[in-house]
Amino acid sequence: MSETLNGNQNLGDLLKVYTKKWKWFITGVIIAILLATIYLRYATPQYAGQAKIHIIEDKNASSELAAFSDMDILGIGGKNKVEDEIEILNSRSNFIEVVKKLKLNIRYNVIGNVKVSEVYRKRPFNINFIANDSIINNSELTFYVDIQDSNNFGFNYLEDGPLKIYSYGKNIETPLGDIVLTPNAEFIKYYTGKRFFIEIMPVFKVAEGYQINTLITTTGELSNIINIELMDAIPQKSIDILNGLISEYNKNGIEDKKIIADRTSNFIDDRIK
């Protein structure tokens, strides 16, 4: 009985010590809630874009080319495996083509009070280059654009430097050659008074970044299904990249089949002659 009383007394003494500091506990909880709220308010969320590819073996083509594969005439080494298709899909050249087609090497960032956010499709203006694509795709440049209204904008290379006012449609001299900004009437009204930070980056660097962040796996050891996943702050952009990647993969597959068919035809023609 005495042991129980001593245990209760010890617990009571311990509770008294903590209850005396209840104000600190409440303050800590309030601070934690505030910090979590601020983080959720201003952190940039990441969204996962996902796609699947079913690898279908062309059995007719395989049987027709079986006789030639042993002689290594057509340049094929046997049955393609899913692992090989993953390597082909994840090739650097595929990502480069996707970046070029979607113009992902040009990033439009709107500067807010706390954070900078990328504007993907609903851009208030477009940037047009006079120089060749080969120059733009291998160059790097940053500048600021302040949207005055639907007719004029401010331009500068420095964040705090004086702005030079231009009208849309007028040539602007840059280290990459002249550029021309044209307004998107549908969206520009929503960004009046806003400042944009424009980034022009080499295509291969942007492609490498997306290649690293794209996860390509199989659903199982014996499965012919390929999973593709890409995390990005803009859901539509990750979807567009995955669709572009699959499109490039299919286009290359068609071209490869055409090459094999041409080699087969040429081989047969040579043997007939």
Side-chain angles (χ1 to χ4, degrees):
M1 184 69 176
S2 60
E3 291 181 359
T4 304
L5 289 174
N6 290 335
N8 290 336
Q9 287 177 352
N10 292 336
L11 180 60
D13 294 339
L14 187 63
L15 289 174
K16 286 180 182 180
V17 173
Y18 284 105
T19 52
K20 288 180 181 179
K21 303 181 182 294
W22 64 271
K23 293 182 180 179
W24 292 105
F25 285 106
I26 294 177
T27 302
V29 171
I30 293 174
I31 292 174
I33 293 174
L34 288 175
L35 291 175
T37 302
I38 293 172
Y39 175 80
L40 294 174
R41 172 66 179 83
Y42 296 108
T44 302
Q46 295 289 316
Y47 302 91
Q50 296 179 333
K52 293 180 183 292
I53 296 179
H54 184 197
I55 305 299
I56 301 175
E57 181 185 358
D58 190 347
K59 295 182 178 180
N60 292 330
S62 298
S63 60
E64 291 172 1
L65 297 177
F68 302 107
S69 61
D70 292 337
M71 292 181 284
D72 199 26
I73 295 171
L74 304 179
I76 57 179
K79 180 182 177 181
N80 286 333
K81 297 182 179 180
V82 175
E83 290 80 3
D84 297 329
E85 298 304 310
I86 290 178
E87 292 297 323
I88 294 171
L89 181 63
N90 196 37
S91 67
R92 184 168 175 262
S93 60
N94 283 344
F95 282 93
I96 286 176
E97 290 303 315
V98 171
V99 170
K100 286 181 180 179
K101 289 181 179 179
L102 297 177
K103 297 183 178 180
L104 300 176
N105 59 313
I106 307 170
R107 189 166 295 171
Y108 299 70
N109 305 293
V110 60
I111 300 176
N113 294 327
V114 177
K115 65 177 182 178
V116 177
S117 303
E118 182 183 356
V119 178
Y120 179 52
R121 282 192 173 183
K122 299 180 180 180
R123 300 164 182 161
F125 58 87
N126 290 321
I127 302 174
N128 305 282
F129 299 90
I130 306 301
N132 294 330
D133 289 342
S134 59
I135 297 176
I136 305 303
N137 291 341
N138 292 284
S139 301
E140 193 168 351
L141 180 68
T142 61
F143 54 86
Y144 294 86
V145 173
D146 284 33
I147 299 179
Q148 308 287 327
D149 49 45
S150 58
N151 298 314
N152 303 297
F153 61 91
F155 180 93
N156 202 320
Y157 295 108
L158 303 176
E159 184 175 4
D160 299 324
L163 294 172
K164 188 172 182 180
I165 305 301
Y166 289 91
S167 298
Y168 290 103
K170 299 295 183 180
N171 286 22
I172 304 173
E173 292 184 6
T174 75
L176 305 183
D178 288 1
I179 64 173
V180 178
L181 270 62
T182 54
N184 289 328
E186 184 179 359
F187 305 118
I188 194 170
K189 56 186 176 183
Y190 301 112
Y191 292 99
T192 301
K194 295 290 186 180
R195 165 169 281 199
F196 275 77
F197 176 58
I198 306 301
E199 297 177 275
I200 301 171
M201 299 163 285
V203 166
F204 75 92
K205 284 188 178 181
V206 179
E208 287 177 353
Y210 286 119
Q211 184 183 21
I212 293 171
N213 292 325
T214 301
L215 180 63
I216 305 178
T217 58
T218 59
T219 56
E221 185 177 353
L222 301 177
S223 175
N224 287 333
I225 304 295
I226 294 177
N227 289 328
I228 316 173
E229 182 175 318
L230 173 62
M231 300 289 293
D232 197 90
I234 303 175
Q236 187 58 54
K237 184 166 72 167
S238 62
I239 292 172
D240 290 345
I241 292 172
L242 294 182
N243 287 336
L245 188 62
I246 294 172
S247 177
E248 285 298 317
Y249 170 77
N250 289 333
K251 185 187 75 173
N252 292 337
I254 293 172
E255 291 177 354
D256 289 343
K257 287 182 178 180
K258 184 179 182 301
I259 291 173
I260 292 175
D262 290 342
R263 288 181 179 178
T264 306
S265 176
N266 293 336
F267 172 76
I268 294 174
D269 288 344
D270 289 342
R271 284 295 177 262
I272 291 175
K273 291 179 181 179

